[in-house]
């Protein structure tokens, strides 16, 4: 390979890296702009990001929904920074591979993407199976985003189950609490209103058993027991139960309401 060909290969590798780094930079700016609408965002020298509540007047601090959102922004921005560092390191390795130990040596490498450095790392991480740690799964997801379609196909063929377990096809969405919840457990003593509400709820549960609404009664009992243990729901059976029509009636009412809009 002469120097003109080597230069063409090197520029192609740099172009791949620059394109991806620009995309990551744009994404980081979008996420930061969105986060700053409600929080303060501070970058640290070690590459981590601190997200703080812009409101400091809340007596009990931010609620669960806000805490989850702050953590999502911090993790997302930290992931983008890590991804950029990995792309940069892969570009350096790819350029070194073109020249060997001597930077003036034209070498024999002719690949123009970063796959030759990233694919072996992705194969290694995917091959860990059940021993894969959360941070390694996160790295595998970032590598998947950077690989070319050809390398993705190769990796998918060899490690489909591991890639699915790592969440490479899982949509990137904000996983936050829908609201701040009821607050800490068992911090307030129940008053007359709370006892009256519990009495009514038990009455609803008992009447459900007599009127054939057994699923509704079972679910109310589970809630009132307060065990915190998940309950299995056979939704298909509930939708086709001839005697207990609570779920089917609610579904039909919802569907009719949407059609009327």
């Amino acid at each position: 390979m002469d120097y003109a060909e080597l230069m063409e290969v090197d520029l192609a590798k740099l172009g791949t890296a620059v394109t991806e780094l620009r995309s990551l930079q744009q994404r980081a700016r979008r996420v930061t702009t969105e986060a700053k609408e409600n929080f303060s965002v501070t970058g640290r020298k070690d590459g981590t990001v601190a997200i703080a509540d812009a409101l400091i007047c809340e007596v009990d601090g931010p609620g669960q929904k806000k805490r989850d959102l702050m953590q999502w922004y911090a993790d997302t921005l930290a992931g983008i920074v890590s991804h950029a560092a990995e792309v940069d390191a892969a570009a350096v390795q790819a350029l070194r591979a073109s020249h060997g130990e001597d930077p003036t040596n034209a070498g024999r490498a002719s690949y123009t993407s970063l796959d030759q450095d990233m694919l072996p790392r992705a194969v290694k991480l995917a091959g860990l199976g059940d021993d894969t740690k959360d941070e390694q799964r996160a790295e595998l997801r970032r590598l998947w985003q950077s690989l070319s379609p050809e390398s993705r196909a190769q990796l998918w063929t060899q490690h489909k189950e591991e890639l699915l377990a790592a969440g490479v096809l899982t949509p990137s969405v904000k996983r936050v609490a829908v609201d701040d919840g009821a607050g800490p457990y068992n911090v307030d003593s129940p008053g007359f209103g709370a006892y009256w509400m519990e009495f009514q709820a038990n009455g609803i549960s008992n009447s459900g058993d007599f009127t054939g609404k057994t699923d509704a009664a079972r679910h109310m009992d589970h809630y009132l027991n307060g065990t915190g243990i998940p309950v299995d729901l056979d939704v298909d059976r509930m939708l086709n139960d001839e005697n207990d029509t609570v779920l089917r009636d609610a579904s039909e009412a919802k569907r009719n309401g949407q059609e009327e809009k």
Side-chain angles (χ1 to χ4, degrees), residues 10-259:
D10 286 349
L11 288 175
K13 294 172 185 175
L14 287 173
T16 300
V18 169
T19 298
E20 186 152 11
L21 289 172
R22 281 178 177 169
S23 175
L24 290 170
Q25 183 185 54
Q26 292 171 355
R27 186 181 174 213
R29 286 174 174 170
R30 288 196 301 269
V31 174
T32 301
T33 299
E34 183 180 320
K36 284 184 175 180
E37 293 179 0
N38 298 293
F39 310 109
S40 63
V41 182
T42 305
R44 295 173 176 152
K45 292 182 179 180
D46 61 356
T48 59
V49 180
I51 306 293
D53 191 359
L55 297 176
I56 58 176
C57 58
E58 295 173 306
V59 177
D60 298 325
Q64 186 62 49
K65 180 178 181 180
K66 185 175 287 187
R67 291 198 300 272
D68 288 350
L69 199 54
M70 291 164 62
Q71 189 63 52
W72 184 88
Y73 281 123
D75 291 344
T76 300
L77 288 171
I80 295 174
V81 172
S82 296
H83 195 170
E86 291 159 3
V87 171
D88 182 67
V92 172
Q93 287 294 107
L95 291 173
R96 285 177 177 169
S98 295
H99 299 271
E101 296 297 328
D102 184 357
T104 63
N105 177 14
R108 297 179 180 274
S110 60
Y111 58 92
T112 58
S113 72
L114 306 181
D115 286 3
Q116 191 156 337
D117 181 70
M118 289 187 160
L119 181 57
R121 175 62 178 168
V123 171
K124 180 179 180 180
L125 291 174
L128 294 176
D130 295 337
D131 295 329
T132 311
K133 299 178 181 178
D134 289 341
E135 55 268 25
Q136 291 171 323
R137 290 192 179 93
E139 182 183 354
L140 181 56
R141 290 194 295 270
R142 295 192 295 268
L143 288 169
W144 175 264
Q145 294 173 14
S146 297
L147 291 174
S148 67
E150 294 79 8
S151 292
R152 285 187 181 185
Q154 179 182 339
L155 186 61
W156 182 264
T157 301
Q158 298 174 355
H159 297 284
K160 175 182 176 180
E161 297 302 325
E162 292 83 354
L163 291 171
L164 289 174
V168 297
L169 300 183
T170 303
S172 179
V173 297
K174 297 185 182 72
R175 299 180 182 274
V176 300
V178 295
D179 54 40
D180 291 334
Y185 176 72
N186 199 28
V187 294
D188 294 325
S189 299
F192 174 79
Y195 284 118
W196 173 242
M197 186 178 297
E198 182 184 19
F199 176 79
Q200 290 178 306
N202 279 307
I204 293 173
S205 174
N206 292 332
S207 65
D209 288 325
F210 285 105
T211 59
K213 312 301 185 191
T214 53
D215 284 314
R218 170 174 172 258
H219 301 157
M220 178 63 77
D221 285 337
H222 177 79
Y223 171 77
L224 293 174
N225 287 335
T227 61
I229 300 174
V231 60
D232 293 328
L233 300 179
D234 188 350
V235 178
D236 290 333
R237 181 193 59 74
M238 292 166 62
L239 286 171
N240 294 282
D241 194 324
E242 296 181 356
N243 298 316
D244 190 346
T245 63
V246 173
L247 182 59
R248 185 163 67 251
D249 292 344
S251 300
E252 291 178 357
K254 180 69 173 179
R255 185 164 50 250
N256 293 335
Q258 292 175 338
E259 293 175 353

